[in-house]
């Protein structure tokens, strides 16, 4: 094989004959080979001219250039490393070594946006995310699985946290989101991701975002936290599409309860007859009643029902549970019980 | 373009939250419909159900007579413009507008035609080579609109598209959207919490509260004939004045007592009160600020409708003056001529235009008469 090299000097180890040296380059090359060479230049910065004078030689040259591209991609694949880092706990030296090799900044404030779609995310959605973060796309976009993609967004233009900046993502002392400008910016970015995917890719997504974290080594724990936010959001706040991992309210508390404690609480409320799921009509009525601060007239009006029907339904709940929803404490207990029931019905198989 | 039919649309989330309740609406081809209401009233959820971004829990959605409940968003022939739009920063205006079509693998020449058409409508032709950073806020907003227009959809869905703009630009864009509707002859559904935006843009307005449609009507009718206390208070700025009024019927004629003032009502309103059995009951009296006149402005007023009050705040807005005062235990606003001599602390005489008052049932909050 002979190949002419431009800058920098480069030699391909040839395993086939027939490629001519400089000066004997074929006048025309297939579009495929041209494209492969262009891709190689984009990936490596290396320009190659390949001289071939027979179609089979060109085929071999094409295969070799493609292998080169693939090897380079593999070696400098940010996505794969970040994906590993996201889902696994890697040893610190490995993280540092890989980050150095891939020229990834380890110490940099970042926030993780985790996007989840009900159905498989189409290529177009990933393409849109790349375009939204053009300068960071190769280092920030992390496909997790077919329905999830993460964006480890570097806050290069935002204020750094106070010097004490703890390295723990969940640590309130090191929480950059105390800076309202940063919080607003991050939330705005999250909204933009959702709205752009809605309007451009025409897909419905949920998004959870993390606290600001300061080193790449935290990515795994941040991912766990952000995944939990998506899970809790789906479970307790299905009407919302945006969740902040640092503010999950009572949902986090209930999610963190041991199953045995949950079971006991449910037994206390329903005795031995814990329902598999709440009656949809009753739940809709009770929820409206709670939303209206236990106001019977307003709830009846909103539900277009006679107040006696509403009272009958409230009495039904009282018969089943002993809880009088007109009483604040009982209403609160019922609300918690339904959240726990929801949590138990959707618990992780490992807990069962 | 297209007509839409929403029959008994419901949205109940898995946690039992009932976001939209029995939503019924027929939207005609080329109509500009506005969904308006306070935050959390279900307007965006309804729009998202139309778009296919939210599942419909109950009821039927039809576009051009075809049931759409289970049709994928991309197959509904709709285009959306939402509040937090983003232009792709490294792409030109042309490429930003063309991107959605490229994703659909549309032929290049067709894309080119559509982009240029949209750019012409939006007056963006001279900006097609620019990057978003080189555009003003209004121009960026127009590019976002352009991305929707190039899709040539049956229905445009807009969710608070102007919320992130400053007040001045919002007014300008409002005019442009209105013009766009006329130029495109498209069916548009527009969500906003801003009643001014609703009143100025819509051919019909859907007022929502707590997931329930309160009233569907033209802007004029909503303003003049609200169906309940909520609509009366939500539409209009400054909002309608409300006060409790005790009804007394004597000699076949009803009067309203507010504080220690007795107000005569017109014959038709008197009849509505008597027919409704309100004698001896308390109702809510509503009157718009422009229907409260300073005496000099309203010489012919019935003396029974004249009240006295002390001005608490004088607010000059240039073309008009708002005077704030207390009456019958409620804070009232009068919108008067800027030439008024009244100032803060002055004792004023106001005449209520009794022809324009609205009466509401205190318990159901429904309108007794307008």
């Amino acid at each position: 094989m002979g190949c002419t090299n431009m800058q920098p000097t480069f030699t391909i180890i040839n395993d086939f004959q027939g490629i001519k040296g400089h000066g004997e380059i074929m006048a025309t090359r297939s579009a495929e080979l041209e494209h492969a060479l262009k891709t190689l230049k984009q990936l490596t910065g290396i320009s190659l001219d390949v001289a071939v004078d027979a179609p089979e030689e060109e085929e071999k040259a094409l295969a070799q250039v493609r292998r080169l591209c693939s090897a380079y991609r593999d070696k400098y694949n940010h996505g794969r490393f970040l994906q590993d880092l996201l889902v696994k706990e890697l040893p610190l030296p490995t993280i540092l070594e890989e980050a150095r090799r891939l020229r990834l900044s380890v110490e940099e404030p970042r926030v993780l946006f985790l996007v989840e779609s009900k159905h498989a995310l189409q290529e177009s959605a990933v393409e849109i995310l790349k375009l939204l973060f053009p300068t960071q796309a190769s280092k920030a976009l992390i496909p997790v699985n077919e329905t999830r993609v993460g964006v480890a967004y570097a806050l290069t233009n935002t204020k750094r946290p106070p010097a004490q900046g703890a390295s723990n993502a969940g640590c309130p002392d090191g929480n950059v989101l105390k800076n309202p400008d940063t919080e607003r910016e991050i939330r705005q970015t999250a909204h933009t991701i959702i709205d752009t995917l809605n309007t451009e890719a025409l897909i419905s997504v949920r998004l959870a975002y993390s606290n600001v974290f300061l080193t790449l080594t935290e990515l795994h724990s941040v991912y766990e936290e952000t995944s939990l936010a998506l899970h809790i959001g789906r479970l307790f706040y299905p009407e919302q599409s945006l969740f902040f991992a640092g503010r999950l309210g009572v949902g986090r508390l209930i999610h963190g309860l041991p199953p045995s404690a949950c079971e006991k609480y449910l037994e206390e409320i329903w005795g031995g007859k814990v329902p598999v799921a709440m009656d949809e009509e009753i739940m809709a009525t009770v929820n409206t009643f709670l939303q209206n601060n236990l106001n019977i007239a307003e709830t009846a009006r909103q539900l277009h029902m006679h107040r006696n029907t509403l009272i009958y339904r409230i009495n039904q709940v009282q018969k089943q549970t002993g809880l009088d929803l007109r009483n604040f404490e009982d209403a609160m207990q019922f609300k918690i019980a339904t959240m726990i029931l929801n949590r138990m019905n959707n618990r992780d198989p490992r807990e069962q | 373009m297209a007509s839409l039919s929403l029959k008994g649309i419901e949205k109940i989330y898995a946690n039992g939250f009932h976001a939209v309740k029995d939503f019924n609406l027929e939207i005609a081809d080329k109509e500009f419909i506005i969904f308006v209401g306070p935050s959390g009233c279900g307007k965006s959820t309804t729009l998202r159900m139309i778009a296919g971004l939210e599942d419909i829990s109950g009821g039927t959605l039809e576009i051009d007579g075809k049931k759409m409940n289970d049709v994928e968003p991309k197959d509904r022939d709709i285009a959306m413009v939402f509040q937090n739009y983003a232009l792709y920063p490294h792409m030109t205006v042309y490429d930003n507008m063309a991107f959605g079509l490229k994703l659909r693998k549309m032929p290049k020449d067709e894309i080119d035609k559509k982009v240029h058409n949209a750019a012409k409508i939006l007056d963006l032709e001279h900006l097609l080579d620019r990057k978003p950073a080189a555009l003003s806020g209004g121009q960026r907003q127009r590019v976002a609109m352009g991305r929707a227009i190039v899709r040539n959809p049956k229905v445009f869905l807009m969710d608070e598209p102007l919320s992130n703009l400053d007040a001045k630009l919002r007014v300008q864009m409002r005019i442009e959207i209105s013009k766009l509707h006329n130029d495109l002859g498209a069916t548009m559904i527009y969500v906003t919490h801003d009643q001014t935006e609703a009143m100025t843009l819509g051919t019909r307005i859907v007022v929502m509260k707590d997931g329930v449609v309160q009233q569907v009507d033209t802007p004029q009718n909503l303003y003049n004939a609200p169906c309940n206390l909520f609509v009366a208070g939500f539409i209009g700025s400054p909002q309608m004045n409300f006060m409790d009024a005790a009804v007394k019927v004597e000699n076949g004629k009803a009067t309203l007592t507010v504080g220690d003032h007795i107000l005569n009502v017109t014959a038709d309103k008197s009849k509505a009160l008597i027919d409704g059995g309100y004698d001896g009951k308390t109702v809510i009296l509503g009157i718009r600020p422009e229907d409260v006149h300073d005496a000099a402005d309203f010489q012919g007023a019935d003396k029974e409708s004249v009240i006295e009050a002390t001005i608490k705040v004088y607010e000059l807005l240039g073309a008009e003056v708002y005077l704030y005062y207390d009456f019958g235990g409620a804070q009232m606003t009068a919108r008067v001529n800027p030439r008024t001599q009244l100032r803060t602390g002055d004792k004023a005489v106001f005449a209520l235009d009794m022809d324009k008052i609205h009466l509401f049932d205190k318990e159901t909050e429904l309108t007794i008469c307008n």
Side-chain angles (χ1 to χ4, degrees):
Chain A
M1 172 182 173
C3 70
T4 58
N5 47 24
M6 315 280 274
Q7 290 167 353
T9 306
F10 186 82
T11 308
I12 293 180
I13 301 165
N14 70 16
D15 57 357
F16 61 95
Q17 301 297 311
I19 298 181
K20 305 291 181 192
H22 190 43
E24 297 174 72
I25 301 166
M26 279 176 76
T28 56
R29 285 186 304 224
S30 73
E32 268 184 313
L33 184 55
E34 286 291 356
H35 183 257
L37 288 168
K38 199 174 155 194
T39 308
L40 185 70
K41 174 140 196 288
Q42 278 170 356
L43 286 171
T44 64
I46 296 166
S47 298
L48 281 183
D49 264 344
V50 179
V52 290
D53 55 10
E56 60 276 15
E57 284 174 1
E58 186 178 294
E59 209 173 289
K60 283 178 184 173
L62 178 65
Q64 206 168 23
V65 173
R66 280 181 174 163
R67 276 203 296 275
L68 206 56
C69 290
S70 152
Y72 192 88
R73 277 200 193 102
D74 214 34
K75 188 173 177 190
Y76 295 102
N77 189 338
H78 296 99
R80 188 170 299 170
F81 166 61
L82 290 171
Q83 196 179 14
D84 281 351
L85 191 53
L86 204 69
V87 297
K88 293 182 217 164
E89 238 175 299
L90 298 179
L92 186 62
T94 310
I95 298 173
L96 297 177
E97 170 58 23
E98 281 293 286
R100 190 189 57 76
R101 192 175 64 77
L102 295 167
R103 292 179 222 120
L104 281 169
S105 166
V106 176
E107 301 282 332
E108 188 169 23
R110 291 179 173 92
V111 65
L112 178 69
F113 296 107
L114 195 57
V115 181
E116 186 180 64
S117 166
K118 212 189 291 177
H119 309 292
L121 276 165
Q122 299 143 351
E123 220 174 273
S124 59
V126 179
E127 191 61 30
I128 286 166
L129 287 173
K130 278 184 192 166
L131 289 170
L132 281 178
F133 307 103
T135 56
Q136 297 195 22
S138 67
K139 293 179 182 176
L141 214 64
I142 315 167
V144 183
N145 55 39
E146 63 172 15
T147 58
R148 270 188 189 188
V149 62
V151 182
Y153 180 69
L155 300 168
T156 42
N157 295 320
T158 55
K159 291 172 194 164
R160 298 280 308 204
Q164 70 190 56
S167 60
N168 188 348
C171 172
D173 291 339
N175 191 349
V176 181
L177 291 187
K178 274 182 178 170
N179 176 345
D181 289 342
T182 310
E183 180 172 9
R184 206 172 303 128
E185 182 193 331
I186 292 169
R187 199 168 177 78
Q188 180 64 39
T189 306
H191 275 299
T192 300
I193 294 172
I194 295 175
D195 277 6
T196 308
L197 288 172
N198 282 169
T199 55
E200 287 279 282
L202 300 175
I203 53 166
S204 175
V205 293
R206 288 168 186 280
L207 186 151
Y209 65 98
S210 70
N211 274 300
V212 174
F213 58 104
L214 301 176
T215 78
L216 209 51
T217 54
E218 297 168 61
L219 189 57
H220 176 63
S221 61
V222 168
Y223 173 69
E224 297 269 288
E225 190 69 11
T226 317
S227 291
L228 181 68
L230 273 178
H231 180 67
I232 289 176
R234 204 171 36 236
L235 216 56
F236 301 126
Y237 315 107
E239 71 281 11
Q240 295 173 27
S241 56
L242 180 61
F243 312 101
F244 171 38
R247 212 170 291 139
L248 294 173
V250 72
R252 181 195 294 274
L253 202 66
I254 289 172
H255 188 266
L257 290 173
S260 57
C262 291
E263 278 159 10
K264 276 194 181 136
Y265 186 79
L266 292 178
E267 272 174 29
E268 270 181 33
I269 300 291
W270 275 284
K273 294 178 205 155
V274 180
V276 179
M278 291 298 294
D279 177 85
E280 213 172 77
E281 202 171 47
I282 292 277
M283 271 318 291
T285 308
V286 171
N287 268 299
T288 311
F289 185 56
L290 298 180
Q291 280 160 29
N292 285 304
N293 302 317
L294 319 184
N295 183 327
I296 289 195
E298 183 60 22
T299 307
R301 199 177 66 77
Q302 268 186 32
L303 294 172
H304 300 294
M305 66 169 61
H306 196 277
R307 58 181 288 132
N308 289 345
T309 313
L310 174 62
I311 290 168
Y312 173 79
R313 286 192 187 172
I314 291 171
N315 290 341
Q316 287 294 106
V317 174
Q318 192 173 9
K319 249 187 206 171
Q320 285 174 24
T321 63
L323 298 173
D324 180 0
L325 300 181
R326 286 157 287 211
N327 173 316
F328 173 74
E329 201 165 313
D330 284 4
M332 186 181 67
Q333 286 222 47
F334 185 82
K335 174 77 182 165
I336 291 170
T338 52
M339 286 180 84
I340 288 179
L341 190 63
N342 207 352
R343 177 237 188 279
M344 294 300 280
N345 286 341
N346 292 283
R347 73 179 137 162
D348 191 322
R350 284 170 296 184
E351 288 181 322
Q352 290 169 359
Chain B
M1 293 300 157
S3 60
L4 284 92
S5 168
L6 293 98
K7 290 176 189 149
I9 296 288
E10 302 267 351
K11 180 67 195 178
I12 306 171
Y13 287 97
N15 61 352
F17 176 63
H18 205 159
V20 178
K21 298 157 195 162
D22 194 24
F23 189 107
N24 291 287
L25 183 67
E26 297 291 327
I27 302 172
D29 186 23
K30 297 178 186 168
E31 236 190 317
F32 198 149
I33 281 275
I34 311 278
F35 295 170
V36 71
S39 174
C41 69
K43 55 191 188 297
S44 288
T45 308
T46 309
L47 189 87
R48 291 174 66 82
M49 283 193 280
I50 295 171
L53 296 172
E54 293 280 358
D55 294 333
I56 296 172
S57 312
T60 311
L61 166 71
E62 288 176 4
I63 298 180
D64 268 348
K66 194 178 158 202
K67 191 176 172 188
M68 286 285 158
N69 288 41
D70 302 315
V71 174
E72 286 289 305
K74 63 182 170 54
D75 300 321
R76 292 190 183 197
D77 208 353
I78 47 147
M80 297 175 261
V81 184
F82 284 1
Q83 180 179 352
N84 300 288
Y85 70 92
L87 303 182
Y88 307 120
H90 282 206
M91 282 184 170
T92 61
V93 168
Y94 181 98
D95 288 331
N96 261 286
M97 285 163 70
F99 180 69
L101 304 181
K102 280 181 187 164
L103 282 181
R104 293 171 162 199
K105 317 258 185 254
M106 190 176 275
K108 261 187 180 172
D109 52 343
E110 207 175 319
I111 293 176
D112 192 61
K113 204 170 137 192
K114 283 178 184 287
V115 171
H116 277 100
N117 267 345
K120 194 175 171 189
I121 292 168
L122 295 160
D123 194 21
L124 287 170
E125 280 172 303
H126 60 297
L127 301 172
L128 285 174
D129 293 330
R130 291 218 192 146
K131 298 259 176 78
L135 302 177
S136 68
Q139 287 165 340
R140 282 183 211 168
Q141 180 70 48
R142 275 189 275 152
V143 177
M145 296 278 180
R147 291 204 299 212
I149 293 171
V150 291
R151 289 175 192 258
N152 195 21
K154 280 183 174 175
V155 187
F156 283 89
L157 306 175
M158 302 188 191
D159 192 351
E160 310 241 9
L162 309 183
S163 292
N164 286 344
L165 305 180
D166 62 56
K168 198 175 165 192
L169 196 52
R170 217 162 39 223
V171 173
Q172 190 187 323
M173 285 309 298
R174 219 161 61 197
I175 297 164
E176 296 211 18
I177 290 176
S178 187
K179 189 170 161 284
L180 198 64
H181 174 246
N182 289 333
D183 291 349
L184 294 172
T187 309
M188 288 187 177
I189 305 175
Y190 187 105
V191 164
T192 181
H193 67 275
D194 179 347
Q195 60 91 25
T196 312
E197 223 166 85
M199 294 289 280
T200 50
L201 279 174
T203 45
R204 273 196 308 159
I205 299 173
V206 180
V207 184
M208 293 182 74
K209 185 192 169 218
D210 301 321
V212 179
V213 173
Q214 305 290 308
Q215 189 171 359
V216 183
D217 219 323
T218 60
Q220 194 72 45
N221 284 349
L222 280 181
Y223 194 77
N224 293 334
C227 72
N228 62 28
L229 193 68
F230 173 77
V231 177
F234 191 79
I235 300 291
S237 176
Q239 79 158 39
M240 187 184 280
N241 299 299
F242 296 113
M243 63 209 94
D244 280 355
V247 181
K248 195 174 176 191
V249 178
E250 265 179 358
N251 304 324
K253 197 168 179 295
T255 57
L256 297 169
T257 306
V258 181
D260 50 8
H261 283 77
I262 298 172
L263 304 169
N264 287 332
V265 292
T266 56
D268 57 332
K269 290 183 169 64
S270 176
K271 185 175 183 307
L273 287 170
I274 294 166
D275 291 351
Y278 287 97
D279 184 17
K281 291 185 181 168
T282 298
V283 296
I284 296 171
L285 185 159
I287 185 161
R288 296 219 177 265
E290 62 270 29
D291 297 325
V292 179
H293 305 271
D294 53 351
D297 231 27
F298 205 66
Q299 299 296 336
D302 172 4
K303 69 172 185 179
E304 298 296 336
S305 69
V306 171
I307 58 167
E308 284 184 12
T310 305
I311 308 297
K312 290 179 79 181
V313 178
Y314 164 92
E315 218 174 56
L316 172 67
L317 274 87
E320 57 198 11
V321 161
Y322 296 159
L323 299 171
Y324 299 93
Y325 60 97
D326 287 337
F327 175 62
Q331 188 183 304
M332 301 265 290
T333 311
R335 176 190 267 157
V336 299
N337 193 301
R339 277 171 288 191
T340 183
Q341 298 300 308
L342 294 169
R343 294 292 182 271
T344 304
D346 286 354
K347 287 256 185 231
V349 177
F350 291 109
L352 310 181
D353 186 345
M354 297 304 286
D355 219 16
K356 302 277 178 63
I357 65 165
H358 306 261
L359 297 172
F360 305 94
D361 185 299
K362 196 168 162 60
E363 197 181 325
T364 64
E365 298 186 354
L366 294 175
T367 301
I368 302 166
C369 58
N370 283 305

